[in-house]
Amino acid sequence: MQRLSVIGNVSRDQTRYPDGRGGDQLGGAALRVALAATRAGAHAAPVSVVGEDLDDLPQHPALSAVDWTALRITPGPSAAFVLHHDEQGRFLDLGAAYGVSRQLTDHALDHISRHRRDLYHVCCRRPLNVPAVLGILADLDIPFSVDFFLPSAPDLVTEAAPWLPRASWIFVNAHEYPLLESALDTHQLQGVVVTDGPHAVQLMRRGRPVAEVAPPATAPAEVVGAGDTLSGTYLAHLSRGDGLPAALEAAVVAASRHITAPPLTLHRN
């Protein structure tokens, strides 16, 4: 099975809700996508840079199956984010301290040069230089998928637009999809998965809807990471040879379970 290399952050997160939910957890899109893909049977590795405060990630009891060979540990603080949501789980604002993840672009480009036979998923978030990474993947004709994060999506969708027609899959939410429509003709896009909170997830091919799956009704405890879980699970099922509807169904179920499960806590503080 081809390895899925997931380029993005692994971070220390704080989530906050008006009703008192939330708290400290281990996060970052690269971690959550890779973990979901691993749990769904894929071989997945976060391509990330962390500080010595997270140097024991490979020993974390919940993460032992993840491939950590693409993790760079370097002196300095890991990325840290504070994510504010309203009581319904809608994102409000973000506080960010990038720390050593500012080295991510150089690390990612080096990893790509040495592992050209991997599949790639790029978490298009700051501080990654998205054009540099997508440009080299496209130049080398390496298959890749992408996702975005609402606070930076208005800028990064535009920056990524020249390479998005080369992406096998693009994962966005209902607020980000109009940014795609503004940036380019969506009929150029091979595949787009559009999430919409508790509403049906749509699968688009060349700008046309071809499938949708409604998530089960849940009482979410923590919404952060649901989209990453969906992306990683979907990509894993496709890599196993599952058809699009089956892969989407499995991804929606995994994301629904994620939001009702306890968050991934730090192995140490």
Side-chain angles (χ1 to χ4, degrees), residues 4 120-123 134 143-147 167-171 235:
L4 176 66
Y120 282 84
H121 180 77
V122 183
C123 306
L134 298 188
F144 68 90
S145 54
V146 302
D147 67 53
S168 302
W169 292 99
I170 300 169
F171 298 88
L235 294 171

Side-chain angles (χ1 to χ4, degrees), residues 57-124:
L57 280 173
Q59 287 76 51
H60 194 294
L63 303 175
S64 58
V66 174
D67 178 352
W68 291 108
T69 59
L71 182 71
R72 175 184 289 177
I73 301 170
T74 191
S78 300
F81 301 101
V82 181
L83 303 105
H84 295 264
H85 297 79
D86 66 15
E87 290 188 5
Q88 286 71 47
R90 292 184 291 259
F91 176 80
L92 297 175
D93 60 56
L94 170 76
Y98 296 116
V100 299
S101 70
R102 294 187 183 278
Q103 303 173 32
L104 176 59
T105 300
D106 289 342
H107 177 48
L109 295 176
D110 178 65
H111 180 85
I112 293 167
S113 71
R114 292 184 293 108
H115 301 280
R116 299 186 182 189
R117 295 187 178 182
D118 286 6
L119 300 172
Y120 282 84
H121 180 77
V122 183
C123 306
C124 297

Side-chain angles (χ1 to χ4, degrees), residues 13-71:
D13 290 355
Q14 290 183 2
T15 60
R16 296 178 179 172
Y17 298 82
D19 58 6
R21 282 180 294 150
D24 295 337
Q25 61 179 277
L26 186 58
L31 171 62
R32 290 187 292 252
V33 172
L35 178 59
T38 300
R39 286 173 170 169
H43 177 193
V47 182
S48 306
V49 182
V50 300
E52 293 168 327
D53 53 337
L54 292 180
D55 63 2
D56 63 341
L57 280 173
Q59 287 76 51
H60 194 294
L63 303 175
S64 58
V66 174
D67 178 352
W68 291 108
T69 59
L71 182 71

Side-chain angles (χ1 to χ4, degrees), residues 18 25 40 51 104 120-121 137 151 159 170 183-184 193 208 228 236 256:
Q25 61 179 277
L104 176 59
Y120 282 84
H121 180 77
L137 289 170
E159 292 179 19
I170 300 169
L184 75 171
V193 177
R208 295 189 176 92
D228 302 325
S256 298

Side-chain angles (χ1 to χ4, degrees), residues 134-159:
L134 298 188
I136 193 65
L137 289 170
D139 287 347
L140 295 174
D141 200 26
I142 296 173
F144 68 90
S145 54
V146 302
D147 67 53
F148 295 92
F149 182 42
L150 187 57
S152 57
D155 294 330
L156 295 187
V157 168
T158 300
E159 292 179 19

